[in-house]
Amino acid sequence: MRVKNSCSIYIKFGNKKIKLPVNPEELEIGYPTSHKTYDVLGKGEIVVPGNPSLKVVSWESFFPDPDGEMFVDNRARKPEFYVKLFEKALKNKQKCRLIIARSGLYDTNIRCIVSDFTTTDKGGEPEDIYYALELTEYKSYEPKTISIMVTPAESGAEPDVQAAVEQTRPVEAPVLRVGAVVIANGKYWYDSYGGKPFGTANNLNTTVTRIVSGNPYPVCIGHYGWLQESQLQITG
């Protein structure tokens, strides 16, 4: 007896499109981001929004022996057929396409690469191959060529060349945070309360390693010591 699935999963390798013979019990799609958090003097921890990162799709399932499983579609192939496809894609860095067709819901269709593939043999099931698969979204990064159209000049007129001018983007002022690159000047102390011993910085290039709000000398630079924000010039 065959059971009709409400969800079908296909993977296309070039011109070859395969359907998974057995759907996984769970399928996870991750939507990470490149948000970054910083510790800013006087504000505490802040988050700087970033762009969406690459989606990651992963699941675990198995490739059954089509001759030994009654519920498997008769078009299914032997387990070694699927294993070789994924091994080849992983080895050759082959780009593929994942298609998840859901009955009555939205579909998933993304270009991706095989980022991880693991197989497992289980005792008592010698003809079946269990596997874990991870696919990472692939985005093309080849440079694009832009053509500029030149309007022919009329008699006695100068040629009119139309060009797109990129809008000026606002530049965000650097903020004092852990990891910021700075130039330090003046005395730096043993601790954030001004404890001795102390040293003197003269156009010292270093980085911020700690920030303690509310103390007399709240910023620690490198392995040197503690000083005030006014003694720093943020360069990155």
Side-chain angles (χ1 to χ4, degrees), residues 31-193:
Y31 299 86
T33 66
S34 58
H35 300 338
K36 293 183 179 180
T37 57
Y38 300 100
D39 191 358
V40 178
L41 183 64
K43 292 183 178 294
E45 189 175 46
I46 65 170
V47 61
V48 178
N51 294 323
S53 300
L54 300 174
K55 298 184 183 73
V56 178
V57 186
S58 60
W59 69 78
E60 296 181 5
S61 187
F62 70 102
F63 300 126
D65 177 13
D67 298 328
E69 302 285 354
M70 296 183 62
F71 64 88
V72 177
D73 193 310
N74 55 14
R75 292 172 294 181
R77 308 288 290 273
K78 289 285 188 179
E80 63 179 347
F81 168 80
Y82 302 100
V83 172
K84 288 182 178 180
L85 277 179
F86 287 107
E87 286 181 341
K88 181 180 178 181
L90 189 62
K91 179 180 179 181
N92 297 337
K93 305 175 184 178
Q94 183 179 6
K95 294 178 281 291
C96 54
R97 183 167 293 277
L98 171 66
I99 303 170
I100 304 173
R102 302 176 177 88
S103 299
L105 295 173
Y106 69 96
D107 294 338
T108 297
N109 189 324
I110 60 173
R111 198 179 185 196
C112 53
I113 61 170
V114 179
S115 48
D116 192 40
F117 180 63
T118 306
T119 60
T120 303
D121 294 290
K122 293 190 176 183
E125 302 177 59
E127 304 298 329
D128 299 337
I129 296 293
Y130 285 77
Y131 71 94
L133 177 67
E134 180 183 88
L135 301 173
T136 301
E137 181 183 12
Y138 176 84
K139 293 182 179 180
S140 178
Y141 52 86
E142 291 82 3
K144 295 182 179 180
T145 302
I146 301 175
S147 299
I148 299 177
M149 301 298 295
V150 179
T151 305
E154 298 179 359
S155 59
E158 294 293 331
D160 181 18
V161 180
Q162 295 181 349
V165 179
E166 184 179 2
Q167 294 182 352
T168 303
R169 300 181 180 178
V171 178
E172 296 183 0
V175 295
L176 186 65
R177 66 186 189 282
V178 174
V181 180
V182 296
I183 297 176
N185 283 283
K187 288 184 178 181
Y188 54 82
W189 304 86
Y190 176 75
D191 57 33
S192 61
Y193 295 97

